[in-house]
Amino acid sequence: MVDTLGDFDVALNETLKDLGRPVVARADIERMVGKGSAHLIRSALLHGGLGADEAARVQPEAWTRYQAHYLAINGQHSAVYPGVVEGLAALRERGLPLACLTNKPLNFARPLLQAKGLADFFAHVFGGDSFERTKPDPLPLLKTCEALGMEPAQTLMVGDSQNDALAARAAGCPVVLVTYGYNHGEPVRGVDADAFVDRLDGLPGLLQAGA
C-alpha cells in the first residue's frame, strides 16, 4: 500500500554509518526488503562484508539504532501507491472486513498507516512481531483470519511478493498480487497466484468478475 523504500534507505544507511559499516545502494535495499526488518539489517551487514558470526554479534546494536532512526523519519520518505485509497474505500463500501498484515514491526506499521490516512480502513493491524513467526509461514495469516472471524478459504490475501503468496498457499487462502512493490528483485508475475492487478482499485472489479 505504501512505497517505503525511501524510509528504509534513510534509516538503514544511518544505522550503518553509526556502526562504521559501508552504506547500501537503494537498488540493493530494494532486493533485501520484504522479509522483515531483522532480515533487512542482517542482509545489509552481510552485504557490507561481515561474516555470518560477526553480523549476528552486531545485530542487536544495529537493531536498536535502526529502530531509533526509523521511528524518527517513519513515513517522511514514503508515499501511498496510486489507487490504494480508492481501492480500500471501494472494498469497505462492499462491507468487507479488512485487516493489514505486514512483516514490518507493529510500532512502525501503526504510525505509518495513521500518517498516510489508511488506518481507519482496517479492523485489525498486525506486524512482523505480532506472532511467533512471520510470513511466509502461514501462522500470521491464519491468526489474521481468526481475528476477522473468517475461514482461510473465504479470506483473500492481497500482497506484492512471493512471501505473501507462499503464506497464502500454506494457509489455504486465495491470493491476488499487485504488480508493483518489491519481490526481492524478481518479476512478480512469475509467482504462483490466483490473479494480478496493476492497481489496488482494480481489485473490486476483479472480485465482481468472480476471479
Side-chain angles (χ1 to χ4, degrees):
M1 295 181 294
V2 183
D3 182 357
T4 55
L5 184 60
D7 288 346
F8 290 131
D9 187 2
V10 173
L12 180 62
N13 280 318
E14 287 302 315
T15 299
L16 293 171
K17 290 175 187 176
D18 288 349
L19 299 171
R21 302 305 306 163
V23 298
V24 181
R26 196 180 179 104
D28 292 318
I29 295 173
E30 185 172 352
R31 289 190 288 271
M32 296 174 184
V33 299
K35 296 184 178 180
S37 297
H39 179 271
L40 173 62
I41 293 168
R42 177 176 172 79
S43 298
L45 292 171
L46 295 173
H47 182 81
L50 289 184
D53 290 345
E54 184 63 12
R57 188 189 68 78
V58 174
Q59 181 94 7
E61 182 183 358
W63 172 235
T64 298
R65 290 176 179 272
Y66 179 79
Q67 287 186 89
H69 285 302
Y70 200 102
L71 288 171
I73 55 90
N74 192 1
Q76 294 180 20
H77 306 274
S78 63
V80 178
Y81 283 107
V84 166
V85 172
E86 296 86 346
L88 292 174
L91 294 172
R92 184 171 61 183
E93 286 172 7
R94 294 179 60 150
L96 298 174
L98 304 177
C100 175
L101 173 61
T102 174
N103 275 348
K104 190 184 296 292
L106 190 59
N107 67 327
F108 293 179
R110 286 190 185 279
L112 178 65
L113 291 173
Q114 194 68 47
K116 298 304 180 183
L118 303 178
D120 290 345
F121 286 110
F122 300 102
H124 304 281
V125 178
F126 300 114
D129 50 357
S130 295
F131 307 107
E132 294 87 352
R133 299 185 292 278
T134 61
K135 298 179 293 181
D137 190 284
L139 176 67
L141 189 49
L142 291 171
K143 290 292 189 180
T144 300
C145 293
E146 184 179 312
L148 289 170
M150 301 291 293
E151 292 297 321
Q154 278 72 54
T155 305
L156 178 64
M157 169 68 154
V158 182
D160 68 350
S161 71
Q162 184 179 44
N163 238 25
D164 294 324
L166 289 172
R169 291 292 187 234
C173 297
V175 56
V176 172
L177 297 180
V178 297
T179 55
Y180 55 84
Y182 311 114
N183 184 43
H184 323 299
E186 300 296 328
V188 74
R189 286 190 179 274
V191 175
D192 174 28
D194 296 303
F196 300 88
V197 290
D198 294 327
R199 291 168 46 118
L200 198 60
D201 54 3
L203 184 60
L206 190 66
L207 296 177
Q208 187 69 37

